[in-house]
Structure formats: structure tokens, C-alpha cells
């Protein structure tokens, strides 16, 4: 999702620039084809919808969002028991047992977006060991927050009309 969230945020920002400039983006290839800013916003919105569960797996890649989401994310604080559940110290090497466990993480890192599917087949193993797909990162989550903020403030696509 690293590239999906970053590029979608860029597309959304560019669509806002185009709206204020009263311009369209050229599609190239001759023929004078172009896309209005609203089309770019629709592309960005489709990507957000995909991340949140409108995809072939019907799975949200945001922990805690919707009925189906990643349960075994690659995150130490999420994958080991809380101090309340396990008051004794858990050393670095002792955490390996929790890392290797097939059990869902005991602590939900609500709102964290993981790396997502691996390829065009939308395969997602939901396994801590596959950190490329199951690890939440700031560079995935930060641009998504910008997208969610925009679409929260502008939930009605009719409001996206080009200037």
C-alpha cells in the first residue's frame, strides 16, 4: 500500500491544483484527450475504497476497520501480551514465541494500515513473518490520513465538481 497511498494522495493534491487552475490533465497519445480533476478524485477514492475493503478479498487492510481485517500484523506492541495480561517482563528473545505464533495479535493496533496484497492476485497471507505485507508503517498511513481527511470533508461526489 506504500505506493497506493502516496500516489493517491498526490493525485488528489494535483486534482485540487487543476480545479483551481481551471485545467485538465492531458491523457497523451494524441487526439486531445484529457481528464478533468473530478476523474482524478474518483481514482483516488477508488483506491481508498480498495484499502478499506472494496477488493476481491473483501478485506480491509486497516486494522480494526470492518468485519475482516489483518489479525497478525508485524508489530511487536500488537503481537505480545499487554502488561495487564502478562505482568512479567518479556525480553527480546522471549518475544520470538509470540512472533512465531499463528494466533491473532492480542492487541489491536486500530487504524494501522499494513503493506497489503503481494501482487495482482490480491494474495494476503495475514502472517507476521511476511512483514512486507503485514507491517504497518508511517509512510503508508500518513498519506492515507490526508486522503481520509479530504473524503471525510467532501463525502458527496457531487461536491467534487470542477471549478
Amino acid at each position: 500500500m506504500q505506493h497506493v497511498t502516496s500516489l493517491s494522495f498526490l493525485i488528489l493534491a494535483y486534482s485540487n491544483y487543476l480545479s483551481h487552475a481551471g485545467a485538465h490533465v492531458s491523457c497523451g497519445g494524441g487526439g486531445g484527450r484529457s481528464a478533468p480533476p473530478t476523474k482524478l478524485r474518483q481514482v483516488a477514492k477508488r483506491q481508498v475504497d480498495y484499502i478499506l475493503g472494496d477488493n476481491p478479498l473483501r478485506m480491509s487492510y486497516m486494522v480494526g476497520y470492518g468485519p475482516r481485517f489483518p489479525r497478525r500484523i508485524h508489530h511487536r506492541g500488537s503481537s505480545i501480551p499487554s502488561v495487564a495480561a502478562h505482568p512479567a517482563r518479556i525480553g527480546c528473545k522471549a518475544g520470538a514465541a509470540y512472533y512465531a505464533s499463528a494466533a491473532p495479535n492480542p492487541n489491536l493496533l486500530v487504524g494501522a494500515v499494513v503493506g497489503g496484497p503481494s501482487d495482482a492476485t490480491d494474495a494476503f497471507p495475514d502472517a507476521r513473518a511476511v512483514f512486507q505485507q503485514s507491517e504497518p508503517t508511517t509512510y503508508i498511513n500518513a498519506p492515507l490520513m490526508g486522503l481520509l481527511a479530504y473524503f471525510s470533508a467532501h463525502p458527496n461526489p457531487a461536491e467534487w465538481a470542477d471549478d
Side-chain angles (χ1 to χ4, degrees), residues 79-161:
S79 61
I80 63 172
S82 68
V83 174
H86 188 284
R89 182 179 181 278
I90 298 174
C92 288
K93 292 187 181 192
Y98 300 105
Y99 174 78
S101 170
N105 289 8
N107 306 303
L108 287 181
L109 193 60
V110 175
V113 177
V114 298
S118 62
D119 55 28
T121 66
D122 283 312
F124 183 76
D126 195 12
R128 285 178 211 91
V130 188
F131 65 89
Q132 300 91 335
Q133 293 174 258
S134 66
E135 185 170 75
T137 63
T138 55
Y139 52 80
I140 293 172
N141 285 267
L144 181 61
M145 293 307 106
L147 290 159
L148 292 173
Y150 178 85
F151 292 121
S152 175
H154 303 92
N156 183 357
E159 296 175 7
W160 303 350

Side-chain angles (χ1 to χ4, degrees), residues 4 14-15 31-33 43 58 67 69 73 75 90 102 118 120-122 126 143 146-147:
V4 173
Y14 190 54
S15 74
R33 293 178 39 192
V43 169
R58 310 304 300 161
F69 54 85
I73 68 171
H75 186 275
I90 298 174
S118 62
T121 66
D122 283 312
D126 195 12
L147 290 159

Side-chain angles (χ1 to χ4, degrees), residues 4-18 37 39-44 47 147:
V4 173
T5 58
S6 295
L7 290 172
S8 296
F9 182 78
L10 181 62
I11 287 170
L12 180 62
Y14 190 54
S15 74
N16 288 336
Y17 166 79
L18 290 172
K39 185 67 173 171
L40 299 180
R41 289 183 187 104
Q42 290 168 358
V43 169
Q47 297 305 307
L147 290 159

Side-chain angles (χ1 to χ4, degrees), residues 38-94:
T38 52
K39 185 67 173 171
L40 299 180
R41 289 183 187 104
Q42 290 168 358
V43 169
K45 178 70 165 73
R46 279 198 310 267
Q47 297 305 307
V48 169
D49 291 343
Y50 178 96
I51 292 167
L52 296 179
D54 188 4
N55 57 58
L57 293 179
R58 310 304 300 161
M59 175 180 212
S60 168
Y61 294 103
M62 178 182 280
V63 175
Y65 184 83
R68 187 167 180 227
F69 54 85
R71 305 275 181 176
R72 294 160 195 85
I73 68 171
H74 186 265
H75 186 275
R76 185 170 175 90
S78 178
S79 61
I80 63 172
S82 68
V83 174
H86 188 284
R89 182 179 181 278
I90 298 174
C92 288
K93 292 187 181 192

